[in-house]
Amino acid sequence: MNTRFEPGAPAESGFIPLSVPEIRGNEWRYIKECLDTNWVSSAGPFVDRFERDIAGYLGARHAVACSSGTAALHVALLVAGVRPDDEVLVSDLTFIAPANAIRYCGAWSVFIDAEPDYWQMDVKRVEEFLVQGCLFDGKELRNRSTGRRVSAILPVDILGHPVDMDPLMELAQRFKLVVIEDATEALGAKYRTRGRRPEARSHTAQELRSEGDSSAWRMAGSLGHIGCLSFNGNKIMTTGGGGMIVTDSEEWANKARYLTTQAKDDPVEYVHNEIGFNYRLTNVQAAMGCAQLEQLPSFIERKRAIARRYAEAFEGIPGLRCMRQADWAESIWWMFTILVDPKRFGIDSRELLKRLERNRIQGRPLWQPLHLNRPYLGAAGSFPVAEALSREALSLPCSVGLAEADQDRVIQCILDGA
Ligand SMILES: *Cc1c(COP(=O)(O)O)cnc(C)c1O
């Protein structure tokens, strides 16, 4: 089944939520199948199918389902070789989960400011840190000021748009770093490789699927050495809660499967040679995931249409700037976000948020930059772009099922006041 969605009906209660799941496909049928067959727990045919379907969709060799995106990040960092006291470069302007996952491994975050155009990890800042802030002996990279080993980069594709991965992967190769891509907000987004193709990767399935100058378009989540997805309720598709690790490395996929299932070394006797985790997705959740994935292309189409309408409505309005898409990217416009310049618009993003709330419309600021959160206070670096974006940003209602009349109400409320 591959439904094409029309916009939904206007919110009956008059309340317009920021983003809610869309459950109009085979979810009931597949979950009933789990209940009917008694396959309800962390093994079963839908888990296998969901992993195969996601791997196929991303053009990656392996996918390992996890209980959440955060669990996926934790295990991805472990299998990628991040050790206690290592340092990992991570986006500063993002949801906090990746920085926490780095701490779960006993490693430390090095926060990287955002770039002002697409608000993603600024690869120029990454280069600056690696070249000026580190010492490289040809094998290992060390932070000059802390003396710690720097082992990985964790770029986060925020709001549905990929990080500029080509130059990032080149830096990673040059300094022998592993790249763990957090694509939890960008499932379905695409990235166009401009330079030479990255070494030793196969993206045949995906190349065949893409249109136009197809050979260069690749899927977010498959752009690093290992990628992570989330199926939390607020993401573009959901399993209620869940995540996925995606990689071309069979060794890493096997290790991830092992660590997410309590590191059991003998299928009969309970023998464990490492500390593992209970991080598996259940068959019921995977069943929902299979049904949601069938609808993902139509979800993305709706997100794009919603973004286009907002962008048209706000074009030329002094003090409002909409999120944008690089010409090397296809965003999924996961969470439509505007910047409000108080000097030119008249009120700031938080006052506009209150105005929306008075009109029963839910908005949301972006995250507080990670370096300002208490567990990470005192982190080195300066983050003027992330701080400005976080001050000015406001996310607007953009559910896949958002009715056009409701979107018009949001637009009116922003443009006409009240
Ligand atoms: C949602 C999200 C996660 C974590 O996913 P969960 O499934 O909620 O654990 C990680 N990183 C980012 C950037 C996210 O937005």
Side-chain angles (χ1 to χ4, degrees):
M1 202 184 92
N2 205 337
T3 330
R4 264 189 64 112
F5 283 131
E6 300 307 318
E12 272 174 35
S13 62
F15 173 72
I16 306 176
L18 183 66
S19 181
V20 291
E22 191 64 35
I23 305 169
R24 288 200 259 177
N26 281 324
E27 289 86 350
W28 283 273
R29 193 153 82 77
Y30 293 170
I31 290 174
K32 183 168 187 304
E33 207 172 304
C34 299
L35 304 180
D36 287 342
T37 57
N38 219 20
W39 283 98
V40 293
S41 195
S42 55
F46 280 114
V47 175
D48 299 337
R49 177 181 152 188
F50 191 35
E51 290 179 340
R52 271 198 317 274
D53 287 356
I54 287 282
Y57 180 67
L58 296 188
R61 290 210 178 91
H62 306 279
V64 179
C66 299
S67 51
S68 73
T70 309
L73 284 162
H74 181 192
V75 168
L77 285 158
L78 290 175
V79 304
V82 171
R83 301 193 304 244
D85 241 25
D86 279 0
E87 291 185 0
V88 178
L89 281 64
V90 63
S91 309
D92 185 49
L93 185 67
T94 178
F95 180 57
I96 202 164
N100 288 345
I102 290 167
R103 283 305 293 140
Y104 301 165
C105 299
W108 303 95
S109 288
V110 174
F111 297 114
I112 301 292
D113 201 7
E115 40 81 12
D117 295 329
Y118 313 107
W119 315 347
Q120 308 296 324
M121 171 184 262
D122 190 335
V123 182
K124 283 204 237 46
R125 297 286 91 77
V126 172
E127 179 168 18
E128 225 168 73
F129 173 77
L130 296 177
V131 172
Q132 292 162 27
C134 295
L135 281 168
F136 187 53
D137 65 6
K139 287 218 310 265
E140 274 198 343
L141 187 70
R142 289 200 176 266
N143 182 330
R144 276 177 196 274
S145 58
T146 63
R148 293 188 191 121
R149 183 176 89 124
V150 179
S151 56
I153 311 178
L154 204 171
V156 185
D157 303 325
I158 65 162
L159 302 175
H161 190 289
V163 171
D164 191 2
M165 289 295 275
D166 277 351
L168 192 78
M169 293 307 284
E170 264 170 42
L171 286 169
Q173 197 176 2
R174 183 167 145 207
F175 292 103
K176 296 197 163 38
L177 300 172
V178 179
V179 175
I180 299 117
E181 182 189 9
D182 181 338
T184 52
E185 299 183 2
L187 176 59
K190 294 181 188 174
Y191 177 80
R192 187 153 55 91
T193 293
R194 283 101 71 207
R196 66 192 157 68
R197 304 290 303 280
E199 76 292 356
R201 294 185 60 100
S202 149
H203 289 279
T204 322
Q206 180 184 319
E207 285 162 19
L208 290 173
R209 205 173 304 116
S210 321
E211 64 278 22
D213 172 25
S214 58
S215 64
W217 284 103
R218 298 161 60 211
M219 303 297 287
S222 75
L223 304 172
H225 299 112
I226 187 165
C228 296
L229 308 175
S230 165
F231 311 111
N232 189 32
N234 66 346
K235 301 303 200 274
I236 183 135
M237 58 162 273
T238 183
T239 59
M244 194 81 80
I245 293 170
V246 182
T247 181
D248 278 350
S249 161
E250 186 173 3
E251 188 195 331
W252 285 1
N254 289 340
K255 188 74 195 278
R257 211 174 287 286
Y258 172 74
L259 288 177
T260 53
T261 49
Q262 305 281 29
K264 197 182 342 168
D265 280 284
D266 186 291
V268 182
E269 308 286 340
Y270 281 77
V271 176
H272 307 265
N273 293 316
E274 274 189 60
I275 295 173
F277 307 91
N278 177 10
Y279 276 174
R280 289 293 284 165
L281 193 74
T282 68
N283 200 50
V284 177
Q285 291 168 309
M288 181 163 180
C290 290
Q292 288 267 294
L293 187 58
E294 290 169 346
Q295 305 161 78
L296 181 60
S298 60
F299 289 178
I300 295 170
E301 229 174 88
R302 285 288 304 136
K303 287 280 190 190
R304 191 171 292 135
I306 290 166
R308 205 179 300 123
R309 280 185 102 231
Y310 276 133
E312 281 165 17
F314 300 143
E315 190 170 348
I317 304 296
L320 291 188
R321 224 178 89 201
C322 294
M323 64 193 286
R324 298 192 308 161
Q325 171 180 271
D327 58 9
W328 40 261
E330 251 183 61
S331 178
I332 58 161
W333 308 95
W334 167 62
M335 189 62 77
F336 192 85
T337 302
I338 57 173
L339 298 182
V340 183
D341 173 357
K343 283 196 213 80
R344 297 174 62 223
F345 188 67
I347 59 172
D348 70 15
S349 62
R350 302 313 193 265
E351 290 168 89
L352 184 54
L353 176 65
K354 288 201 196 94
R355 185 202 284 174
L356 290 169
E357 279 167 358
R358 279 198 302 276
N359 287 274
R360 311 202 62 211
I361 297 166
Q362 189 182 20
R364 200 187 68 183
L366 283 188
W367 320 273
Q368 169 168 264
L370 296 188
H371 72 278
L372 295 174
N373 289 280
R374 192 180 296 162
Y376 302 112
L377 279 178
S382 74
F383 310 93
V385 179
E387 285 171 10
L389 289 170
S390 151
R391 254 193 323 270
E392 294 196 353
L394 186 62
S395 299
L396 302 179
C398 55
S399 302
V400 162
L402 179 68
E404 289 191 348
D406 282 349
Q407 188 175 8
D408 289 341
R409 243 183 77 205
V410 178
I411 292 167
Q412 288 304 311
C413 177
I414 290 171
L415 295 184
D416 301 350

